Amino acid sequence: MELSLFNILDILGTMAFAISGALAAMDRKLDLFGIFIIAFVTAIGGGTIRDALMGNTPVAWMENAAYVYLIGAVTIFAIIFRNKINYLKTSLFLFDTIGLGVFTITGVETGVSNNLDPIISIAIGAMTGTFGGVVRDILCNEIPVIFRREIYATACIVGGLAFVILHKLGVNTDIIYIVTSLTVIAIRLLVVKYKISLPSYHLLQNN
Amino acid sequence: MELSLFNILDILGTMAFAISGALAAMDRKLDLFGIFIIAFVTAIGGGTIRDALMGNTPVAWMENAAYVYLIGAVTIFAIIFRNKINYLKTSLFLFDTIGLGVFTITGVETGVSNNLDPIISIAIGAMTGTFGGVVRDILCNEIPVIFRREIYATACIVGGLAFVILHKLGVNTDIIYIVTSLTVIAIRLLVVKYKISLPSYHLLQNN
Amino acid sequence: MELSLFNILDILGTMAFAISGALAAMDRKLDLFGIFIIAFVTAIGGGTIRDALMGNTPVAWMENAAYVYLIGAVTIFAIIFRNKINYLKTSLFLFDTIGLGVFTITGVETGVSNNLDPIISIAIGAMTGTFGGVVRDILCNEIPVIFRREIYATACIVGGLAFVILHKLGVNTDIIYIVTSLTVIAIRLLVVKYKISLPSYHLLQNN
């Protein structure tokens, strides 16, 4: 099986969200399987709601056990290296941002390749990118990420808009994937970095 | 395209819930796109879960970009006139009630026109009417509306029951829509008004 | 109509979760229909998400009004006998555990009979078993059960694993159902009982 760039991004997003879920669950002192379940739900949440609402059922992870094994492996990795991962302090934030960027773009792509209206495709992208993190935070009794004034949604929508425009201009698909994923990630990172000296205590509290 | 009364009610409910979502999000000081996302989820939540569970996929808003544009326009309206809208103090409550009444009835109608059992149709109506508001409240870390002792669910179920009975009696569909939507809205308004002098501080706290 | 053991377990799980939902809602002093709605969502939540994600739509309860009537009857029963049920203090916990055990197994069975990968079947089982309770707790603003260090998820996964192994070994289906349901229930009960003298105040607070 040959992996397309789309598949690689999907795998990368799954891993990043699985790690962010595992970190959040460890933070809550869940047991082993509890950590796995939160990692799983965070990693597959966005794609699952996208598939369910579009009628692509059974949803992706049900037809490909590789997702479950991948998430299991990543979760074990996160548990073993939790001290090293946490050393970065902002790691949950970083992995969440990577997952957001990548999944937003795979969501937009799904809409575009199903010939849906551009604005619908952007909405599907925003939903795919944010849903896993929202569910993770609701299950962990956190204020959902979407609420932490970090331009979370804005990053998604700008990235989705860039995708739709570049696609209309006929730019090579692989280049679109990379540019727009990085756009979402860069916007969020820059905004948070820029805010560091200001009201960022709000952010640190929750991560 | 000719609009049926069903379409008009659907549009009205979408607008009312979008405004209630935008108001709740502004109350939480979300950024522009955050406000739009909460407005969107509140407005399409009930219909989306109805469609997903019934297998009407892709769900309605994915096939009709008009919903997204309508919600966008209403959100901008709500942002611009936020002071005037809030002047009524109880506006979030009012718009939420209109959305509840209208969406409950479009939900019951969907069940009835799919020849589902009357009690199932009422359940689908209650779900369609309440789901958007519940998701809005969960995302906003509020106690879901369903919990605020305001006979919220009761209004839904009575309206649904009225729909099923009038339908059995062969009453004209348009009349059923109007009578039953107003029934749901009237029950909730009357109950809250009647309670004003009593334990309604409970209500005011949350709105 | 002849009832298979699968149907009987499904009915038992529905009743157990409906009671647990009704008890949680009464605890929150909801009105009559509010109690019914929480009972309903708790009872059908797991099966509904399983069906929606697998594409078995309309989901089960929409095609069989018996579920709604059963949940209604059980809810009325729970309301009438609430004092006697609550006398056991741990009754919410008990009914929740029975529902968990039974629904986990019906979920695994659905995956296995659709020829899905064993690990996917276990994941579907865990999802079917826990989802109703998670939604109940989120609606009731409780910390979801999955979070209360009671080896909740672990019980599910061990039971699911036992199902898959016994199924591979060719054991009679009815025996598998009973053995594995009881495995899930026993694990959770034993763990909680064993913890009684230790940090179980954590548990009692939430139930």
Side-chain angles (χ1 to χ4, degrees):
Chain A
M1 168 188 167
E2 217 179 314
L3 285 175
S4 68
L5 183 61
F6 182 87
N7 295 136
I8 293 171
L9 288 180
D10 193 46
I11 290 169
L12 205 68
T14 302
M15 291 171 68
F17 267 146
I19 292 178
S20 88
L23 290 174
M26 282 188 276
D27 206 49
R28 292 271 155 175
K29 309 211 188 319
L30 284 204
D31 69 19
L32 188 66
F33 288 112
I35 295 169
F36 177 73
I37 285 185
I38 301 292
F40 183 72
V41 170
T42 308
I44 56 95
T48 297
I49 194 155
R50 180 197 60 210
D51 289 346
L53 301 190
M54 294 191 70
N56 299 334
T57 52
V59 299
W61 62 266
M62 287 195 182
E63 305 207 292
N64 190 350
Y67 281 101
V68 182
Y69 290 114
L70 176 65
I71 295 168
V74 165
T75 303
I76 291 167
F77 173 88
I79 292 173
I80 294 174
F81 294 103
R82 63 185 177 283
N83 292 323
K84 298 219 168 121
I85 297 176
N86 266 323
Y87 188 63
L88 294 160
K89 262 290 186 201
T90 49
S91 51
L92 171 55
F93 165 74
L94 271 172
F95 286 108
D96 186 63
T97 300
I98 295 169
L100 174 75
V102 170
F103 274 179
T104 298
I105 297 316
T106 62
V108 178
E109 153 67 21
T110 310
V112 167
S113 66
N114 278 275
N115 293 314
L116 298 180
D117 186 280
I119 204 161
I120 303 290
S121 302
I122 295 173
I124 295 174
M127 198 176 67
T128 309
T130 60
F131 193 78
V134 167
V135 170
R136 175 196 66 213
D137 291 343
I138 289 174
L139 288 180
C140 292
N141 259 15
E142 296 271 340
I143 300 169
V145 278
I146 217 172
F147 256 107
R148 301 185 206 151
R149 295 192 218 168
E150 302 161 26
I151 321 286
Y152 200 89
T154 308
C156 267
I157 292 174
V158 172
L161 207 59
F163 187 108
V164 167
I165 292 169
L166 294 176
H167 181 81
K168 282 258 149 111
L169 295 176
V171 175
N172 173 283
T173 317
D174 283 1
I175 293 174
I176 298 183
Y177 290 162
I178 291 175
V179 169
T180 52
S181 295
L182 290 178
T183 301
V184 178
I185 295 171
I187 291 175
R188 195 176 178 216
L189 292 181
L190 284 173
V191 167
V192 172
K193 193 178 165 67
Y194 171 81
K195 276 195 184 167
I196 274 178
S197 54
L198 295 166
S200 70
Y201 73 96
H202 184 74
L203 175 79
L204 295 170
Q205 273 182 320
N206 288 312
N207 277 325
Chain B
M1 168 189 166
E2 215 179 314
L3 284 176
S4 68
L5 183 60
F6 182 86
N7 295 137
I8 293 170
L9 287 181
D10 193 46
I11 290 168
L12 205 67
T14 302
M15 291 171 69
F17 267 145
I19 292 177
S20 89
L23 290 174
M26 281 188 276
D27 206 49
R28 293 272 156 173
K29 309 207 188 322
L30 283 203
D31 68 20
L32 187 65
F33 287 112
I35 295 169
F36 176 73
I37 285 186
I38 301 290
F40 183 73
V41 170
T42 308
I44 56 96
T48 296
I49 194 156
R50 180 198 61 211
D51 289 346
L53 301 191
M54 295 191 70
N56 300 334
T57 49
V59 299
W61 63 266
M62 287 194 183
E63 304 206 291
N64 190 349
Y67 281 101
V68 182
Y69 291 114
L70 176 65
I71 295 167
V74 165
T75 303
I76 290 166
F77 173 88
I79 292 172
I80 294 173
F81 294 104
R82 63 185 177 284
N83 293 323
K84 296 215 168 125
I85 297 176
N86 266 323
Y87 188 62
L88 295 160
K89 261 292 185 201
T90 48
S91 51
L92 171 55
F93 166 74
L94 271 171
F95 286 107
D96 186 63
T97 300
I98 295 169
L100 175 76
V102 170
F103 274 180
T104 297
I105 298 316
T106 62
V108 178
E109 153 68 20
T110 309
V112 167
S113 68
N114 278 275
N115 293 313
L116 297 181
D117 186 279
I119 203 160
I120 303 289
S121 302
I122 295 173
I124 294 173
M127 196 175 67
T128 309
T130 60
F131 194 79
V134 167
V135 170
R136 176 197 65 213
D137 292 344
I138 289 174
L139 287 180
C140 293
N141 260 15
E142 295 271 340
I143 299 170
V145 278
I146 216 172
F147 257 108
R148 302 184 205 154
R149 296 192 219 167
E150 302 161 28
I151 320 286
Y152 201 90
T154 308
C156 266
I157 291 174
V158 173
L161 208 58
F163 187 108
V164 168
I165 292 170
L166 293 176
H167 181 81
K168 281 259 149 112
L169 295 175
V171 175
N172 174 284
T173 317
D174 283 0
I175 294 175
I176 298 183
Y177 290 162
I178 292 173
V179 169
T180 53
S181 295
L182 290 178
T183 302
V184 178
I185 294 170
I187 291 175
R188 193 173 179 216
L189 292 181
L190 285 174
V191 166
V192 171
K193 193 179 163 68
Y194 171 80
K195 276 196 184 165
I196 274 177
S197 53
L198 294 166
S200 69
Y201 71 95
H202 184 75
L203 176 78
L204 295 170
Q205 272 182 318
N206 288 313
N207 278 325
Chain C
M1 168 188 166
E2 215 180 316
L3 285 175
S4 67
L5 183 61
F6 183 87
N7 295 135
I8 293 172
L9 288 180
D10 193 45
I11 291 169
L12 204 68
T14 302
M15 291 171 67
F17 267 145
I19 292 178
S20 88
L23 290 174
M26 281 188 276
D27 205 50
R28 293 272 156 174
K29 310 211 188 318
L30 285 202
D31 68 19
L32 188 65
F33 287 112
I35 296 170
F36 176 73
I37 285 187
I38 301 291
F40 183 73
V41 170
T42 309
I44 56 94
T48 297
I49 192 153
R50 180 197 62 210
D51 289 347
L53 300 191
M54 294 192 69
N56 300 332
T57 50
V59 299
W61 62 266
M62 287 194 180
E63 305 207 291
N64 189 350
Y67 281 101
V68 182
Y69 291 114
L70 176 66
I71 294 167
V74 165
T75 303
I76 291 167
F77 172 87
I79 292 171
I80 295 173
F81 294 103
R82 63 185 177 284
N83 292 323
K84 297 216 169 125
I85 297 176
N86 266 323
Y87 188 61
L88 294 159
K89 261 292 185 201
T90 48
S91 51
L92 171 55
F93 166 73
L94 271 171
F95 286 108
D96 185 63
T97 300
I98 295 169
L100 174 75
V102 169
F103 274 180
T104 298
I105 298 314
T106 62
V108 178
E109 153 68 20
T110 310
V112 166
S113 67
N114 278 275
N115 293 315
L116 298 181
D117 186 279
I119 204 161
I120 302 290
S121 302
I122 294 173
I124 295 173
M127 197 176 68
T128 309
T130 60
F131 194 78
V134 166
V135 170
R136 177 197 65 214
D137 292 344
I138 289 174
L139 288 180
C140 292
N141 259 16
E142 295 271 340
I143 300 169
V145 278
I146 216 172
F147 257 106
R148 301 185 207 151
R149 296 191 217 169
E150 302 161 28
I151 320 287
Y152 200 89
T154 308
C156 267
I157 291 174
V158 172
L161 208 58
F163 187 110
V164 167
I165 292 169
L166 293 176
H167 181 81
K168 281 258 150 111
L169 295 176
V171 175
N172 174 284
T173 317
D174 284 1
I175 293 176
I176 298 182
Y177 291 161
I178 293 175
V179 169
T180 53
S181 295
L182 290 178
T183 301
V184 178
I185 295 170
I187 291 175
R188 194 174 179 217
L189 292 181
L190 284 174
V191 165
V192 171
K193 193 178 162 71
Y194 172 80
K195 276 195 185 166
I196 275 177
S197 53
L198 294 165
S200 70
Y201 71 96
H202 184 77
L203 176 78
L204 296 169
Q205 274 182 318
N206 287 313
N207 277 326

